[in-house]
Amino acid sequence: MKQKKKMTSTGFLLLITIVLFFVMYAAGMVIFADKGFAKPQMFLNLFVSNAGLLVISCGLTIVMITGGIDISVGSVTALVCMVMADLMENKGVSAYVAVLAALLIGLAFGIVQGFLVTYMGIQPFIVTLAGMFFGRGMTAIISTDMISIKNEVFLKWANYRFYMPFGSTNKKGKFIPAYIPPTVVIAIIVVLIIAVLLKYFKFGRKLYAIGGNRQSALMMGKTMFRAYVLDGFLAGLGGFLFCLNSCAGFVEQAKGLEMDAISSAVIGGTLLSGGVGTPIGSLFGVLIKGTISSLITAQGTLSSWWVRIVLSALLCFFIVIQSVLASAKKKK
């Protein structure tokens, strides 16, 4: 019966997120139809622009389900982009080796931070705060200047397109098919894998057990460590996808990305206290963030800072809903 209540809370939070996304996007299609908001490519651009964020949000979802947090992912992303750019442009390393380096960087962050949180008993916020400063500092040590990536193989990956059988027509009546790059395919595959992992595998059940009742979860140690390792790996992978979009590395890159990932997870129904959350919810949280950005861009006169303002308002709204649900659950 207890599990059923938890699933009901999860489903309710996810339903609110999905309905909110479709209402916001439908409003955009009506209000900004003349600016192409109703075109299929505009919708797909939500995935194109946020593929890296989506993968990183899945990692945040995993650690937040355990009741933890990771605020280092933005700095890890910046470090990954800078290392890849430096290796390919200044060291003459192949794109394949650079990608391997990106994944290893994320994995290293996950292992170190997971060890400190799990086996040393240090608070996740403090550990990942140190990771955030370390990652950003290492990025600056490599180079304070922007390094543009001109590696032919990497640019080929970045510019590759999967064309859809649907699309739109331009003013001359020419059909233009919609497309997605490989980054979107990778991000969607990651979301599906994590969703299956959390729902059907013992590892996922242990994660929810830790978040739901940390005191009685005897398996907490290894499972929490693995959660942070997986989170770190996804941060490295997300950084690689982010780099495919920017094709450059610079110190200020991905600043605030950790807050975008956390807010996307929370808006997607992940409880800050742990025990509840799904990568599908985080997917819709990312889409909501992307929709807000697209609406403000289409409006034309508002500052880009309004994206942060609206996101913070939504974050407060969902935290209040979570608190109400938690209080109702305790009374029952």
Side-chain angles (χ1 to χ4, degrees), residues 110-148:
I111 291 171
V112 173
Q113 293 182 158
F115 177 80
L116 293 175
V117 170
T118 305
Y119 298 111
M120 300 299 291
I122 307 175
Q123 286 293 324
F125 180 83
I126 300 300
V127 170
T128 58
L129 179 65
M132 179 180 76
F133 289 138
F134 177 79
R136 194 65 66 175
M138 287 301 296
T139 305
I141 286 175
I142 294 171
S143 177
T144 55
D145 298 323
M146 186 176 77
I147 303 176
S148 297

Side-chain angles (χ1 to χ4, degrees), residues 201-281:
F201 284 77
K202 187 183 292 185
F203 173 71
R205 291 193 292 271
K206 287 181 178 180
L207 287 177
Y208 287 112
I210 292 171
N213 190 350
R214 293 171 67 90
Q215 299 300 321
S216 64
L218 299 177
M219 76 296 287
M220 187 172 88
K222 287 184 179 180
T223 304
M224 278 199 69
F225 177 71
R226 290 169 182 169
Y228 277 92
V229 171
L230 183 54
D231 168 57
F233 176 79
L234 291 177
L237 178 59
F240 163 56
L241 300 185
F242 193 93
C243 194
L244 280 173
N245 270 352
S246 65
C247 290
F250 53 96
V251 176
E252 297 297 313
Q253 197 166 24
K255 208 164 187 180
L257 185 69
E258 59 280 347
M259 294 299 108
D260 288 338
I262 293 170
S263 60
S264 295
V266 173
I267 291 171
T270 303
L271 292 184
L272 290 169
S273 56
V276 175
T278 64
I280 302 300

Side-chain angles (χ1 to χ4, degrees), residues 50 53 56 71-82 129 132-133 135-137 139-140 239 242 246 248-263 289 304-305 307-308 311:
N50 297 290
L53 175 61
I56 292 169
I71 61 171
S72 69
V73 292
S75 296
V76 172
T77 298
L79 180 59
V80 162
C81 291
M82 181 63 81
L129 179 65
M132 179 180 76
F133 289 138
R136 194 65 66 175
T139 305
F242 193 93
S246 65
F250 53 96
V251 176
E252 297 297 313
Q253 197 166 24
K255 208 164 187 180
L257 185 69
E258 59 280 347
M259 294 299 108
D260 288 338
I262 293 170
S263 60
K289 181 262 177 189
S304 60
W305 282 104
V307 176
R308 303 286 183 188
L311 267 181

Side-chain angles (χ1 to χ4, degrees), residues 184-205:
V184 176
V185 177
I186 295 171
I188 296 299
I189 290 173
V190 168
V191 171
L192 294 176
I193 290 174
I194 300 302
V196 171
L197 182 67
L198 293 181
K199 187 168 184 179
Y200 297 106
F201 284 77
K202 187 183 292 185
F203 173 71
R205 291 193 292 271

Side-chain angles (χ1 to χ4, degrees), residues 5-25:
K5 289 181 181 178
K6 185 183 291 186
M7 291 304 293
T8 301
S9 299
T10 305
F12 180 68
L13 290 169
L14 181 58
L15 179 63
I16 292 175
T17 303
I18 293 173
V19 170
L20 178 62
F21 165 67
F22 282 110
V23 168
M24 290 176 64
Y25 200 84

